Amino acid sequence: MADSLVIVESPAKAKTIGKYLGSKFIVKASMGHIRDLPKSQIGVEVENNFNPKYITIRGKGSILKELKDASKKVKKVYLAADPDREGEAIAWHLAHYLEINESDSCRVVFNEITKQAVKDAFKTPRPINMDLVNAQQARRILDRLVGYKISPLLWKKVKKGLSAGRVQSVAVKLIIDRENEIDAFTPEEYWSITAQLKHKTSSFEAKFHSLHGVKKELGSEQDVQEVIKAMGSSDFTVAEVKEKERLRNPSPPFITSSLQQEAARKLGFRASKTMSVAQQLYEGVELGKEGTVGLITYMRTDSTRISPIAQEEAKSYIQDKYGAAFAPDEFRVYVKKNSNAQDAHEAVRPTSILRDPESMKEFCSRDQFRLYKLVWERFVASQMSSAVLDTMTVDLNVGEAGFRAVGSKVKFQGFMKIYVEGNDDGSTEEEKFLPPLAVNDVAKADAVDPKQHFTQPPPRYSEARLVRMMEEVGIGRPSTYAPTLETIQKRGYVAMDEKKFIPTELGILVIQMMEEFFPEILDAEFTAHMENDLDHVEDGKEDWVKVLANFYDSFEKRLEFAEEEMKEVEIQDEISDETCEKCGRHLVFKMGRFGKFLACSGFPECRNTKPIVKDIGVTCPKCEEGKIIERRSKKGRYFYGCDHYPGCDYVSWDKPAGKPCPQCSSMLVEKRNKNGTRLQCTQCDFSEEVIEDQEPAEV
C-alpha cells in the first residue's frame, strides 16, 4: 500500500514520475495553479501590506477534493511542481490547502525527469522556498495593480474591454517604435560593381573596392561611370593576396529565449508552440521498453551552464562518434550574455546525449522530433571543437580601379559537422572558393555588372526578433516571453502580417495615452529595474512588500492625475465602400488578431463579418474565369483561392505566379524557404530561383 503522495502539475508528468517511484507512491496532478486572485475584483489589500485575497480557481473543486482525500490516506505528501517561481507558488498554495507546514521537508525539485534525477531528488526534499514564492506573488500583485487600476480608466476614457499590462505595454511600445522608424526611413541610393573574372580555367567574382588607391563608396550612377572610365581595360592584375586561418566557435547551448528564436528561424514555430512542445519533451515521452522518459532538461532557464556529468558524457560521445579532434581538450564554459541571468537551472539540453534524434524519431510526434533534434544538435555542437576556416582576400587592379575578391573554405569542420546557428534574414553561409592566385597574375573579365540598390528600413519584429529585443533590454523573464506575445495579440494591440508584428490603431492609441500619463510603465529601463527587484526578492535580498510599496507610491499619484486630466477619446471605425449583404448597412474596417477584416456597422444587431480579399492579378487555372484572391485562414495563414467559390473550388497554400511552366505549360507557384523564393511547377519537376534585388537589413 502507498505511504506517500506526490503532487505535480500535469497528468503527463504524473505518469512519468509514477513509473519511476513505484507502488509506494501515489502521484497525482493539480492541473496547474489551484488558487489565484479573483477576476471580479482587484483582490489586493493595498493598505494592508498588499495582502492578496486568493480564491480557489473555478473548476478545481473536484481536483482539490481528490487531493485532500488522497493526502489523508498517506504518511507523507511531497510537492513536486516545476523548479521555478511558478512551481514554488503552486507548491505553497497546495501546502496551504492541504494544511502542510511550509517549513517541513515537503518540496521536491528536479531539473530533468529521468529515473536517476527523480530518485535523487526524493532523497533530499526541502522546505518551501518563501523567497521564490514571494517573488512570484510580487510579480502577480504588481501586474494586477497595473492592470486593474489602469484598465477601468481606459474603459471610461476610450473604450470598454481595453486593458493595460506592465511587460505587455513595453512590448507593444517596442513594436510601435519600430513602425515609426520604418515610416520615417528615407531610402538612400547606392551602387555596386561586380566583375565576373576568369583565371586559366577557374571563374570567380570580385567587387569594386577603391579608386586611385582610396576606398570609395558608390552613391550614384555618375560615380559608377567614373569607375568604369578609370578601369580602362578588361585585364585585372593581382596586386595582393592575403591568406589566414580563422577559428569559429560554436554557439552556447539553448536558453529559453535562444530556443524560441532558433525554433522560429529553423522550424517556423511560434513562441507558444515551442514552449508547449518543449514541455512535452521535458515531462516525458514513451520510449517502448524503456518506459516514459523526459528527453530534455527544464526549458525555462536563462543560464548556459552545463553539469560536469553531462559534459563528460558529451565528450565521450563526441570522441567515439567523430574522433578525438572534434572534442576540445577542456570543457567549454560559456559566459553569461545577460548580466540579469539568474543561473538557477542548467541550459536546455538532452537528458542523455546517447538518445540521438534518429533513435527517438519513432517515439516522437513530428513536432517533438524536430524540436528535440534542434536541442540535441545545438547541445552536442556546443561541446565540440572550433571550426577552422581558411580565408583568402585578393586585391586586383584594373586601370586606376581596385577590386576585391574574398573566399573561404572549411579546413576543419569541428562543431559545424553537426550544427550551425540560423540567421534572422534566412541567409545561410556558403563556401566561396577562389582559385590559386599570386601577385601579378592576370584575370580576364567575362562581365562587369553595375547594379543600383537602395538602403532598406529596419525590419518589423518577428516573434524571434521581439523575444531577442525583450531579452536585450531586460524586460520579462524566460517564463514570460511566450505569454506576453500571445497577450498583446489577443488584446488587439498588434496584428501579424507575414509573420511580422504591426501595431493596430487601438494599440497606438492606448500606448499614446499610457505614454502621456504613465510614462514609467512604458519605460523599458524602469521595467527592467522592476525585474531586477523581483530577482532580488527571489534571492532574499529585498522585501517583496517594500518593492511593491516603492512602486505604488508614485503609481498612485499618476492614477489620480490621469483620472482628472485624461480626456475622453472616441475611436471612429473606418467606413468601407462595401455594404452588408444581410442588412444593407455599411461595412467598417476592424482590426483583429490576424489583421484587418470587414464587419457590419450595425453591430451588435448584425454580426456579419467578412475577410478582406486581395486580387493578385492571376486568372484561376481551374475555371479560367475567376480571379485568384489572397485570403487568411482562421489561424491567420495566407491561402489563395478562386473568387467564384463555391462555384469553383480551386485553392492553394502557395501563391500562383501568373505565368505558365516553360516545360509543360502548367501553373507555376511560389515556394518560399529560408534560402529565398523559387518558382515550382505544379505538374512537372521544373523549378527556378527568383532573384530578389534586396540587401539584407541591419538588425
Side-chain angles (χ1 to χ4, degrees):
M1 183 177 176
D3 56 12
S4 297
L5 170 66
V6 181
I7 304 176
V8 296
E9 304 102 306
S10 73
K13 191 173 175 182
K15 180 182 176 183
T16 305
I17 293 172
K19 289 184 177 180
Y20 295 156
L21 295 177
S23 59
K24 289 189 177 181
F25 292 82
I26 301 172
V27 185
K28 292 187 175 293
S30 69
M31 306 301 290
H33 278 278
I34 61 164
R35 294 197 307 171
D36 197 7
L37 299 173
K39 290 184 177 181
S40 59
Q41 54 182 282
I42 193 167
V44 178
E45 297 176 352
V46 175
E47 304 301 326
N48 185 21
N49 288 328
F50 301 94
N51 182 52
K53 296 165 63 178
Y54 292 114
I55 62 169
T56 300
I57 295 173
R58 181 176 293 179
K60 290 295 180 81
S62 59
I63 294 172
L64 288 174
K65 184 178 185 305
E66 182 183 343
L67 295 177
K68 188 86 166 181
D69 292 343
S71 69
K72 293 177 180 177
K73 299 175 183 177
V74 295
K75 298 176 183 177
K76 181 75 175 177
V77 177
Y78 294 100
L79 307 172
D82 285 348
D84 57 11
R85 293 178 190 171
E86 291 294 319
E88 207 71 19
I90 289 172
W92 179 66
H93 286 301
L94 283 165
H96 181 273
Y97 179 78
L98 299 175
E99 299 177 353
I100 299 169
N101 191 328
E102 62 196 37
S103 61
D104 289 347
S105 297
C106 59
R107 180 80 169 108
V108 176
V109 293
F110 29 79
N111 191 48
E112 59 185 68
I113 303 180
T114 57
K115 190 171 186 177
Q116 190 60 49
V118 170
K119 290 202 166 187
D120 287 347
F122 275 86
K123 292 176 185 176
T124 56
R126 61 165 173 79
I128 290 173
N129 184 331
M130 288 307 298
D131 289 333
L132 281 173
V133 173
N134 288 334
Q136 190 274 341
Q137 281 198 114
R139 173 185 282 279
R140 187 76 183 92
I141 293 169
L142 190 61
D143 290 341
R144 175 56 66 99
L145 291 173
V146 171
Y148 275 55
K149 291 288 187 179
I150 298 180
S151 297
L153 194 59
L154 294 176
W155 298 349
K156 187 190 300 183
K157 305 290 186 177
V158 186
K159 176 184 175 184
K160 280 195 173 181
L162 296 184
S163 59
R166 191 174 55 90
V167 176
Q168 296 95 317
S169 295
V170 182
V172 174
K173 186 175 185 298
L174 288 173
I175 294 166
I176 292 172
D177 288 346
R178 175 55 57 90
E179 198 69 19
N180 291 337
E181 286 181 60
I182 294 170
D183 291 340
F185 181 81
T186 303
E188 294 182 5
E189 178 187 14
Y190 69 100
W191 288 71
S192 65
I193 306 175
T194 303
Q196 303 297 331
L197 304 177
K198 193 164 191 176
H199 174 66
K200 295 180 180 178
T201 59
S202 300
S203 297
F204 64 102
E205 70 175 33
K207 292 183 179 293
F208 170 75
H209 180 261
S210 60
L211 187 64
H212 305 298
V214 179
K215 186 176 179 181
K216 181 177 177 61
E217 303 293 337
L218 302 177
S220 66
E221 189 173 5
Q222 184 178 348
D223 291 341
V224 172
Q225 293 304 322
E226 182 185 358
V227 172
I228 298 295
K229 185 177 179 181
M231 289 171 62
S233 72
S234 62
D235 287 346
F236 286 66
T237 304
V238 176
E240 186 177 17
V241 178
K242 292 180 182 177
E243 295 184 80
K244 65 178 181 179
E245 193 176 87
R246 181 170 66 88
L247 292 181
R248 180 174 176 184
N249 297 320
S251 300
F254 283 131
I255 59 176
T256 303
S257 58
S258 58
L259 175 63
Q260 291 175 4
Q261 291 165 48
E262 194 74 337
R265 295 184 193 115
K266 291 193 170 182
L267 308 180
F269 284 7
R270 302 282 301 275
S272 56
K273 180 174 182 177
T274 297
M275 297 310 290
S276 174
V277 176
Q279 184 84 34
Q280 296 164 19
L281 294 173
Y282 166 70
E283 292 186 343
V285 174
E286 186 69 41
L287 302 183
K289 292 181 181 179
E290 193 177 352
T292 306
V293 177
L295 294 185
I296 66 170
T297 54
Y298 195 54
M299 60 281 156
R300 293 184 180 92
T301 178
D302 54 11
S303 172
T304 54
R305 177 173 53 83
I306 295 292
S307 75
I309 295 173
Q311 286 187 308
E312 193 63 58
E313 185 185 52
K315 184 174 183 178
S316 297
Y317 178 88
I318 292 165
Q319 288 175 333
D320 293 344
K321 181 80 173 177
Y322 305 107
F326 284 85
D329 294 333
E330 297 182 0
F331 292 143
R332 289 193 178 277
V333 177
Y334 293 94
V335 179
K336 292 186 214 176
K337 185 173 72 172
N338 186 347
S339 61
N340 296 320
Q342 291 300 287
D343 205 40
H345 308 297
E346 282 188 67
V348 185
R349 63 167 175 84
T351 54
S352 173
I353 200 172
L354 301 178
R355 298 190 188 95
D356 64 89
E358 286 305 313
S359 66
M360 296 294 102
K361 191 170 185 177
E362 64 177 299
F363 305 112
C364 296
S365 68
R366 181 173 181 269
D367 288 340
Q368 288 173 343
F369 169 73
R370 294 171 73 204
L371 191 64
Y372 180 67
K373 185 171 185 286
L374 198 67
V375 172
W376 188 91
E377 289 178 346
R378 174 80 165 226
F379 171 66
V380 175
S382 75
Q383 303 304 303
M384 293 177 74
S385 300
S386 301
V388 182
L389 285 76
D390 276 340
T391 61
M392 185 176 180
T393 303
V394 179
D395 287 330
L396 304 101
N397 291 333
V398 53
E400 294 298 319
F403 280 67
R404 176 167 289 178
V406 178
S408 67
K409 61 181 179 179
V410 177
K411 184 177 180 180
F412 173 67
Q413 282 185 298
F415 75 92
M416 293 174 69
K417 189 175 183 69
I418 301 294
Y419 177 91
V420 178
E421 186 173 26
N423 296 306
D424 283 334
D425 62 11
S427 64
T428 56
E429 289 193 22
E430 296 180 5
E431 289 188 325
K432 290 185 177 179
F433 294 98
L434 294 181
L437 293 167
V439 174
N440 294 325
D441 281 353
V442 175
K444 295 284 187 181
D446 286 339
V448 175
D449 181 23
K451 186 174 284 189
Q452 182 187 37
H453 308 272
F454 291 93
T455 55
Q456 300 294 314
R460 289 185 172 123
Y461 286 113
S462 62
E463 283 200 347
R465 276 196 173 106
L466 187 58
V467 166
R468 187 173 70 185
M469 179 56 71
M470 291 170 67
E471 181 185 32
E472 286 178 1
V473 300
I475 62 170
R477 285 297 181 262
S479 61
T480 66
Y481 297 135
T484 297
L485 302 188
E486 288 290 300
T487 300
I488 61 178
Q489 293 174 73
K490 286 180 180 176
R491 289 178 176 170
Y493 293 161
V494 299
M496 297 296 281
D497 182 24
E498 296 184 349
K499 296 187 177 180
K500 302 291 193 300
F501 285 111
I502 55 172
T504 64
E505 293 170 16
L506 178 62
I508 292 170
L509 176 61
V510 169
I511 293 303
Q512 284 175 344
M513 301 189 80
M514 292 275 289
E515 206 159 17
E516 182 179 355
F517 293 98
F518 303 98
E520 70 278 3
I521 300 295
L522 295 178
D523 182 357
E525 189 174 329
F526 175 83
T527 304
H529 179 72
M530 288 301 305
E531 295 289 356
N532 287 335
D533 285 346
L534 294 174
D535 292 341
H536 292 152
V537 172
E538 178 176 326
D539 295 336
K541 298 174 183 176
E542 287 274 9
D543 178 70
W544 69 281
V545 175
K546 182 180 176 183
V547 168
L548 290 173
N550 289 341
F551 166 79
Y552 196 75
D553 283 347
S554 60
F555 179 63
E556 189 174 32
K557 294 182 179 69
R558 290 278 188 190
L559 278 170
E560 292 172 359
F561 178 74
E563 187 74 45
E564 294 293 326
E565 300 297 326
M566 187 181 285
K567 294 180 172 60
E568 292 190 17
V569 177
E570 185 177 354
I571 300 177
Q572 297 287 348
D573 290 319
E574 183 184 350
I575 300 174
S576 75
D577 294 331
E578 296 187 50
T579 55
C580 176
E581 59 266 32
K582 292 186 177 180
C583 70
R585 283 176 278 206
H586 272 286
L587 295 178
V588 294
F589 291 102
K590 293 284 188 180
M591 182 63 80
R593 184 177 178 185
F594 299 112
K596 283 188 175 182
F597 65 95
L598 290 168
C600 182
S601 57
F603 181 87
E605 292 83 9
C606 179
R607 295 176 176 268
N608 183 34
T609 63
K610 59 189 296 186
I612 297 172
V613 297
K614 177 182 174 184
D615 183 350
I616 66 169
V618 176
T619 302
C620 176
K622 188 168 185 178
C623 69
E624 299 182 347
E625 293 180 359
K627 296 290 185 182
I628 297 298
I629 56 176
E630 180 184 87
R631 304 182 70 169
R632 281 179 185 253
S633 69
K634 290 183 178 178
K635 292 187 176 181
R637 184 179 173 186
Y638 285 108
F639 69 96
Y640 303 88
C642 181
D643 67 351
H644 283 194
Y645 179 85
C648 176
D649 61 358
Y650 174 82
V651 68
S652 171
W653 287 116
D654 300 311
K655 184 178 181 179
K659 65 178 184 177
C661 171
Q663 289 183 183
C664 70
S665 299
S666 298
M667 174 167 278
L668 296 175
V669 295
E670 294 182 6
K671 293 280 189 180
R672 293 179 179 271
N673 57 35
K674 63 183 180 182
N675 297 320
T677 304
R678 74 179 194 277
L679 297 182
Q680 177 71 54
C681 180
T682 54
Q683 298 298 324
C684 72
D685 60 359
F686 175 79
S687 176
E688 72 175 16
E689 295 296 321
V690 176
I691 299 173
E692 299 177 358
D693 179 21
Q694 180 172 327
E695 295 294 308
E698 292 296 322
V699 184

